[in-house]
Amino acid sequence: MMKKILFTLFVILFIAGCADKKRVLNIENRGLCSAPSATLYLNTLEIQNSAKTFNISPDEIRKALADSLKETNCFYVFNKKAEPLKSENEYLVETKVSLFQEQEIIEKNIFKKEEKERLSMTIALYAHNESKKINANTTSELFIDKTKILGFTTQKDSAEDSETVLKNAVKQVSILLKDGFEKLQNSEK
């Protein structure tokens, strides 16, 4: 009887304790403006990646950024424009992204290992035309705690982790860019 209870307790602890993710807050950026006030052309995208397994493609970043900027209802968003800008409300957007991953393994005993991982994405936007410049920078992080008991762990869902970090970063930077445009408009009054 005692063996069954211990076995059941072990299985419950194993299933419940294999992975614990502390997610960043979900950021809401929908409909922040009543109407678009500027047209943005996503120009260059530079990615610095010092991560081993945390990879996000340029196309994924560009699409997520465009979608997030459109969700604010503050901007018209297009891909790079070949011809010169025609209006003072048109801006080229230069994007720099930095991906970082840190892993730490702590061996508790011969049966149990604890793994800690931090995924970090920094986005810097630089919107400019001939007379105006606006910057927006943010960092999104995800901390993951995993415990391996007897070498077993749940399957790592790294695609979901990457998507969480990306969505939170682009939503936050879109809000910051909107704030930058509001400050610029208020200073011109």
Side-chain angles (χ1 to χ4, degrees):
M1 179 69 171
M2 185 64 156
K3 286 183 182 180
K4 285 183 180 181
I5 293 172
L6 287 175
F7 179 74
T8 304
L9 182 61
F10 175 75
V11 170
I12 290 171
L13 287 174
F14 174 74
I15 291 171
C18 285
D20 176 34
K21 296 183 184 186
K22 296 177 183 171
R23 299 214 179 263
V24 290
L25 296 174
N26 285 328
I27 300 163
E28 188 54 52
N29 69 335
R30 291 188 183 275
L32 298 176
C33 299
S34 57
S37 61
T39 301
L40 305 179
Y41 295 97
L42 301 181
N43 198 20
T44 61
L45 174 63
E46 180 183 319
I47 300 174
Q48 294 177 332
N49 189 349
S50 62
K52 294 178 184 174
T53 59
F54 175 48
N55 299 301
I56 302 174
S57 74
D59 290 338
E60 288 176 292
I61 294 170
R62 191 176 290 274
K63 181 179 179 343
L65 182 59
D67 291 346
S68 183
L69 289 167
K70 288 176 187 176
E71 284 176 0
T72 65
N73 198 35
C74 301
F75 311 107
Y76 296 109
V77 182
F78 300 98
N79 283 325
K80 184 178 175 182
K81 186 176 180 183
E83 55 194 64
L85 301 175
K86 294 181 182 177
S87 158
E88 68 177 47
N89 287 331
E90 291 184 329
Y91 296 82
L92 290 174
V93 177
E94 315 302 333
T95 307
K96 290 187 179 183
V97 176
S98 178
L99 301 174
F100 177 76
Q101 178 181 23
E102 183 177 54
Q103 294 176 312
E104 178 183 5
I105 298 175
I106 302 166
E107 194 155 333
K108 299 283 188 176
N109 57 43
I110 60 171
F111 299 111
K112 184 177 179 183
K113 281 185 187 176
E114 187 176 299
E115 289 184 36
K116 294 185 180 202
E117 184 175 38
R118 177 173 68 109
L119 305 178
S120 177
M121 177 180 198
T122 301
I123 296 181
L125 295 183
Y126 173 63
H128 63 93
N129 60 23
E130 289 188 20
S131 61
K132 301 174 194 168
K133 298 172 183 151
I134 297 135
N135 292 318
N137 304 306
T138 192
T139 299
S140 174
E141 293 184 328
L142 177 65
F143 295 93
I144 305 165
D145 292 328
K146 295 179 277 185
T147 301
K148 287 186 177 182
I149 299 173
L150 297 175
F152 296 105
T153 188
T154 58
Q155 187 175 21
K156 186 176 176 184
D157 49 345
S158 60
E160 183 181 319
D161 296 341
S162 296
E163 186 176 328
T164 299
V165 174
L166 174 61
K167 281 186 178 179
N168 284 310
V170 296
K171 284 183 177 188
Q172 188 165 348
V173 81
S174 68
I175 293 168
L176 293 172
L177 192 61
K178 175 209 66 98
D179 292 346
F181 272 93
E182 282 180 356
K183 286 178 186 174
L184 180 67
Q185 289 171 350
N186 290 337
S187 70
E188 292 176 346
K189 291 182 181 178

